[in-house]
Amino acid sequence: MASWAALSPSIVEYFEGEDFYRCGYCKNESGSRSNGMWAHSLTAQDYQDLIDRGWRRSGKYVYKPVMNQTCCPQYTIRCHPLQFQPSKSHKKVLKKMLKFLTKGEIAKGNDEPMDSLVEDAVAGDFALINKLDVQCDLTTLSDDLRKSLESEETRKGKGSQKEAPQQFVLAPQREEGPCSGASSQLTEVHTVPKPGKGADLSKPPCRKAKEIRKERKRLKLVQQSPTGSLQGPQGQGQAPSSFPPKAKCNQPKSLEELMFGPLPEDAAHKLEFTRFLCSSPLEVEKPPDGPECGYGSFHQQYWLDGKIIAVGVIDILPSCVSSVYLYYDPDYSFLSLGVYSALREIAFTKQLHEGTPQLSYYYMGFYIHSCSKMRYKGQYRPSDLLCPETYVWVPIGQCLPSLDNSKYCRLNPDPAAVDEDRSQEPGRVQVFHKKAIMPYSIYKKQRKDPSEDAAVLQYASLVGQSCAERMLLFRN
């Protein structure tokens, strides 16, 4: 038996059974089903391991969908920032932001993919939490944001010109795998799309007709020249050209080039970013081999000309940046801030990776294939989905054919694979009881009450053996 004062581990309170609540995606009044627990505190590594088993947090409530029973199965999705290349639609958002900042141009229409589901999806989270007979401190997120804004205003001496966070729209964000050795062996498989369903990645990128005409003209001049090279100023010091070298000069720009390019001195607007810690069950940790900002939960604030227009809530964990929520001013929805913030967070993950090599993934929360409006997360590639039975990562391209046929799928293609971290010794579950820490086998002998066995066995099977032996299960 260990003393509580000697340790600072995760402390969770598990709620036995399953909870039913309204689904924010298909509108089924009681179709969404999940298991849940209240996290009084969480270490970064424990939460990393939990989301690698399909859990995610909403405030201090941590929940895991019952995948084979819930109406809209939610698969944990992660993106590979180091290999990420922005798609055509992503570049459109970045260019729209650039035009707005440099020239003040406002694009017509609204490309925000999650707008139509914001209220219902978030209402689903709150409906679930409000059914619990516990103190829910999601409101402290806004309180903490308010305090950080007041601190920023005091520092800048700008009084109370910024808008209150309560006027913001709360959008369900992308969120958030291990970085197991097996996952690194999986590769993205590109298939030829159906007509009208996207670019064929097996073929070279398209080129503009003007560029092709210029290239043909150059080749014609080379063929007409007796020396096999261009004459005159256009060809001085140049070797004969061919299509491959031309294509090399036409390589797509990286995310960093598109996002962090310099703005002109007379730019119409200025966009700035700041980070603040926010209320969360995650303890702030600054290990020597971790990122300079440490592990924990952060607000990323988007300031436009001294006015806050959006706040992204992220968790920085040992293997990833996990996106939680995005608050944004609806007056700036024309900038597609949901997409822009996701791209910004991908770029931020790459920056953290430079100093912390093991931190190399971006978690976007849940991918819901059965809801067409929530499939946009699959556009951030390469990306993987988490198998709900074996908890290994599978490239999303390999998962989509199965998900087209069935809402719930065991994504792991190996039929013999099992959950390697499954609970095999529930007696080793760590229990926190009366300010003392002990294995469940000891606690059970002291209590002599078998009624808790079912809850502890269910808890251990859901969090896995590793977390069950590290985290403290609070028992009255």
Side-chain angles (χ1 to χ4, degrees), residues 381-397:
R381 296 197 181 187
S383 57
D384 308 316
L385 297 183
L386 185 68
C387 175
E389 296 181 9
T390 61
Y391 304 110
V392 300
W393 295 97
V394 183
I396 192 170

Side-chain angles (χ1 to χ4, degrees), residues 23 25-26 67 70-77 117 194 197 364-379 381 383-386 388 395-409 411:
C23 178
Y25 306 107
C26 71
M67 294 290 284
T70 193
C71 56
C72 295
Q74 303 166 59
Y75 297 86
T76 302
I77 182 171
L117 292 173
K194 296 178 181 179
K197 296 295 183 181
M364 297 177 283
F366 291 136
Y367 172 81
I368 308 171
H369 193 76
S370 58
C371 179
S372 60
K373 293 183 179 180
M374 295 302 291
R375 294 184 184 180
Y376 70 92
K377 296 181 183 181
Q379 299 172 4
R381 296 197 181 187
S383 57
D384 308 316
L385 297 183
L386 185 68
I396 192 170
Q398 296 181 12
C399 304
L400 297 184
S402 298
L403 292 173
D404 284 336
N405 295 325
S406 174
K407 290 194 300 184
Y408 173 76
C409 297
L411 302 178

Side-chain angles (χ1 to χ4, degrees), residues 47-301:
Y47 187 52
Q48 176 73 65
D49 290 348
L50 286 174
I51 61 175
D52 288 342
R53 293 183 65 83
W55 294 81
R56 69 165 288 186
R57 75 176 185 89
S58 184
K60 291 189 175 183
Y61 184 72
V62 189
Y63 64 99
K64 174 178 167 57
V66 183
M67 294 290 284
N68 60 346
Q69 298 180 40
T70 193
C71 56
C72 295
Q74 303 166 59
Y75 297 86
T76 302
I77 182 171
R78 72 177 186 184
C79 173
H80 297 248
L82 304 185
Q83 292 81 40
F84 174 79
Q85 284 293 335
S87 67
K88 185 176 180 180
S89 62
H90 296 152
K91 292 178 181 177
K92 182 180 178 181
V93 170
L94 295 175
K95 291 177 181 177
K96 180 166 57 177
M97 176 66 79
L98 182 61
K99 287 182 179 180
F100 176 72
L101 295 178
T102 55
K103 303 178 182 179
E105 294 183 8
I106 298 178
K108 296 180 180 179
N110 181 12
D111 298 326
E112 196 70 63
M114 74 276 288
D115 273 353
S116 60
L117 292 173
V118 168
E119 294 183 2
D120 287 333
V122 174
D125 277 353
F126 278 80
L128 183 152
I129 296 170
N130 289 337
K131 291 183 69 173
L132 302 174
D133 187 21
V134 293
Q135 176 73 29
C136 172
D137 72 345
L138 275 176
T139 55
T140 62
L141 191 64
S142 296
D143 294 340
D144 184 80
L145 174 59
R146 176 180 53 77
K147 292 176 182 177
S148 68
L149 294 180
E150 290 174 352
S151 174
E152 182 73 5
E153 290 169 357
T154 301
R155 186 178 68 83
K156 291 187 175 182
K158 292 191 175 183
S160 57
Q161 298 175 1
K162 294 148 181 104
E163 292 189 16
Q166 288 80 2
Q167 298 174 357
F168 284 22
V169 171
L170 174 59
Q173 248 331 57
R174 306 88 21 194
E175 222 194 13
E176 349 120 32
C179 308
S180 61
S183 65
S184 63
Q185 299 173 2
L186 300 174
T187 56
E188 183 72 60
V189 177
H190 298 295
T191 57
V192 178
K194 296 178 181 179
K197 296 295 183 181
D200 186 346
L201 299 180
S202 65
K203 297 180 180 180
C206 296
R207 302 174 62 197
K208 294 182 179 179
K210 184 177 180 181
E211 294 178 355
I212 295 176
R213 289 196 298 270
K214 286 183 178 181
E215 186 64 32
R216 286 175 179 168
K217 183 176 180 181
R218 288 173 59 83
L219 290 175
K220 186 175 181 180
L221 292 174
V222 169
Q223 292 170 356
Q224 293 175 349
S225 171
T227 61
S229 61
L230 292 177
Q231 303 297 318
Q234 188 181 22
Q236 290 179 1
Q238 297 182 12
S241 176
S242 61
F243 281 94
K246 181 67 176 179
K248 183 177 181 181
C249 297
N250 198 35
Q251 288 294 318
K253 289 184 178 181
S254 67
L255 177 62
E256 289 81 0
E257 291 174 319
L258 291 167
M259 180 168 284
F260 301 124
L263 295 176
E265 293 183 0
D266 59 346
H269 300 287
K270 183 179 181 181
L271 187 64
E272 299 177 283
F273 300 87
T274 58
R275 285 194 297 275
F276 286 91
L277 286 170
C278 64
S279 177
S280 162
L282 292 175
E283 302 290 345
V284 179
E285 303 173 30
K286 290 193 175 183
D289 60 342
E292 184 177 351
C293 59
Y295 299 131
S297 299
F298 297 83
H299 282 131
Q300 287 198 313
Q301 301 178 0

Side-chain angles (χ1 to χ4, degrees), residues 406-422:
S406 174
K407 290 194 300 184
Y408 173 76
C409 297
R410 171 193 165 101
L411 302 178
N412 191 334
D414 181 1
V418 297
D419 173 12
E420 296 293 341
D421 194 36
R422 63 191 182 280

